[in-house]
Amino acid sequence: MTDRSPAGPETMGVDPHRLDVLLRRIRLEVDHGPLPSAQVAVARGGRLVAFETWGDAGPDTRYILQSVGRSIVAGAVWKLIGDGLLDVSEQVAAIVPEFAPNGKEAVTVEQVLTHTAGFPFAPLGLAKALSRERRLAAFGRWRLDHPPGSRFQFHLTSAAWLIAEIVERRTGLTFAEYLRQRIAGPLGLTSLELGVPVDRQSGSVAPMTATDRSSDDQEADPWGPWYLSDPRVLAAGEPSHALVATAADVALYFQALEHSGLWKPEAVAEGTRIRLTEHPYGDRLYGGGSGRRTSMGLFVTVAGPDAGSNLPSTGSPALFGSAGAAYQLGFMDPETGLSFACLSNGYPLAGYDHSRRGTALLTNIANLAADLTH
């Protein structure tokens, strides 16, 4: 089980003055900025160093992780690899035969994990998401937008649904059960959950709140993260966006990858090895128009030489994790041993904040966090 007892910053090699600057910077966006609440955690050496919550939330409040959850999905896959249950060179159709139709036989697990599989916007509505039988039928109907391996384009939800099915085929457990029984449970990460029932969401999960709503009756744009404001969608449990947790448990999850013994070190090293460094093809949604390239491991982004995808440039090239719409971030720097999570329930109606201020906000927080041990 991950050590949850508090540790002083200096004891853990974290500069207390830099930490204070970071915490005050985030709190400023709640006290005098657009965020309704924020929760932040810093951990190192398997220990929690700082955990703070501001605004309309408490320390037990859980947040919808959005893309930050991809790092946790990645860890589940890395565990299968380390346990000898999965090889990324396998063809997906050999594991999930229902996926094969429409020329998808050649798609590999690695291509799914690196967002190069060729079906980035494959649809899966709520009704199909709630039924495994209907999900499998939808997998078969999906068509390729381009040849597998030819383009890097973030697969918004399609990849994670397929990963969840691969986990179930290889373990006999649904992804939610695997996460609970094999990862969250043994580590004592009690807030980490997928598929929160509708009747347990209120008071437990921070409600999504528009930071730029002009009137109480204005409808949220269904694009961006707003589909998750439907409690039924959150309960359906799309793995790469609908995970919920506290910032403390996200930061401690990253620590567990190195300190818990649940993962083989070589599997984590393989998962965080850079497989490609490219601009997301035509993808302004994830910063493809920012001039910065993105480096991909196995379902995580890696800082690499360019620190793309809103990862900090002040950490090491080995730093990995995921940013989430619109003001969220979770990462681990293997060279410094520092992990960080910043979560919020505030979102622009468009879902993503590509304004200069919004981009600078997340970049500034990321760089302050990665620089805490220097």
Side-chain angles (χ1 to χ4, degrees):
M1 182 179 293
T2 305
D3 188 348
R4 301 183 65 88
S5 59
E10 292 176 307
T11 302
M12 303 307 298
V14 171
D15 187 319
H17 304 292
R18 291 175 183 265
L19 178 61
D20 181 61
V21 171
L22 169 67
L23 297 178
R24 285 191 287 110
R25 178 68 184 85
I26 300 170
R27 182 172 183 171
L28 181 67
E29 296 302 322
V30 178
D31 290 347
H32 303 287
L35 302 184
S37 74
Q39 197 175 76
V40 63
V42 176
R44 195 182 193 205
R47 301 280 297 276
L48 199 61
V49 177
F51 178 44
E52 299 286 348
T53 307
W54 302 287
D56 190 17
D60 294 330
T61 300
R62 301 187 292 175
Y63 289 79
I64 302 170
L65 298 186
Q66 294 285 330
S67 294
V68 169
R70 287 181 180 171
S71 294
I72 296 169
V73 175
V77 175
W78 303 347
K79 183 162 172 53
L80 293 187
I81 294 170
D83 292 343
L85 297 176
L86 183 66
D87 189 309
V88 297
S89 66
E90 293 182 78
Q91 292 179 336
V92 173
I95 306 170
V96 186
E98 295 90 339
F99 172 75
N102 296 322
K104 301 193 296 293
E105 300 92 338
V107 174
T108 67
V109 173
E110 182 174 13
Q111 288 167 344
V112 173
L113 295 172
T114 56
H115 302 280
T116 60
F119 50 94
F121 302 109
L124 192 68
L126 176 59
K128 297 181 181 67
L130 292 172
S131 163
R132 186 188 185 197
E133 181 180 358
R134 297 186 70 178
R135 288 199 302 270
L136 293 174
F139 292 167
R141 290 191 296 270
W142 287 353
R143 296 182 179 275
L144 295 173
D145 295 329
H146 44 78
S150 65
R151 295 181 182 179
F152 169 44
Q153 174 84 54
F154 280 100
H155 288 46
L156 297 181
T157 63
S158 55
W161 278 120
L162 199 53
I163 291 167
E165 185 61 31
I166 290 170
V167 170
E168 186 163 355
R169 296 292 170 109
R170 288 297 163 86
T171 68
L173 299 171
T174 67
F175 188 88
E177 290 169 341
Y178 184 80
L179 179 68
R180 181 175 62 254
Q181 294 182 24
R182 305 293 170 81
I183 297 177
L187 294 175
L189 305 179
T190 56
S191 75
L192 181 58
E193 186 177 6
L194 179 67
V196 182
V198 172
D199 61 358
R200 288 203 291 109
Q201 292 177 27
S202 180
S204 166
V205 180
M208 301 178 72
T209 302
T211 57
D212 53 357
R213 188 181 297 277
S214 58
S215 65
D216 291 338
D217 60 355
Q218 181 178 351
E219 291 186 2
D221 188 328
W223 181 236
W226 287 103
Y227 68 103
L228 285 169
S229 62
D230 184 335
R232 299 170 302 165
V233 174
L234 186 60
E238 185 271 304
S240 68
H241 292 84
L243 280 161
V244 302
T246 62
D249 277 357
V250 173
L252 288 171
Y253 157 78
F254 280 113
Q255 291 295 311
L257 291 171
E258 180 176 345
H259 296 286
S260 69
L262 281 185
W263 284 269
K264 289 184 170 59
E266 56 270 26
V268 176
E270 185 66 8
T272 56
R273 177 173 65 84
I274 295 175
R275 307 302 176 107
L276 61 88
T277 301
E278 299 179 16
H279 291 284
Y281 187 84
D283 195 349
R284 288 195 69 257
L285 190 65
Y286 284 89
S290 67
R292 295 195 302 177
R293 298 184 298 168
T294 296
S295 295
M296 286 301 306
L298 296 178
F299 220 58
V300 292
T301 50
V302 185
D306 296 309
S309 292
N310 292 319
L311 292 181
S313 58
T314 53
S316 77
L319 183 148
F320 65 89
S322 302
Y327 311 110
Q328 299 196 137
L329 177 65
F331 69 75
M332 171 74 181
D333 191 336
E335 291 194 10
T336 65
L338 185 100
S339 62
F340 171 75
C342 180
L343 307 176
S344 178
N345 61 326
Y347 297 86
L349 286 170
Y352 300 87
D353 190 345
H354 293 301
S355 70
R356 294 180 64 181
R357 184 186 183 281
T359 301
L361 168 61
L362 191 58
T363 300
N364 183 239
I365 290 172
N367 286 336
L368 287 171
D371 201 31
L372 289 175
T373 62
H374 297 172

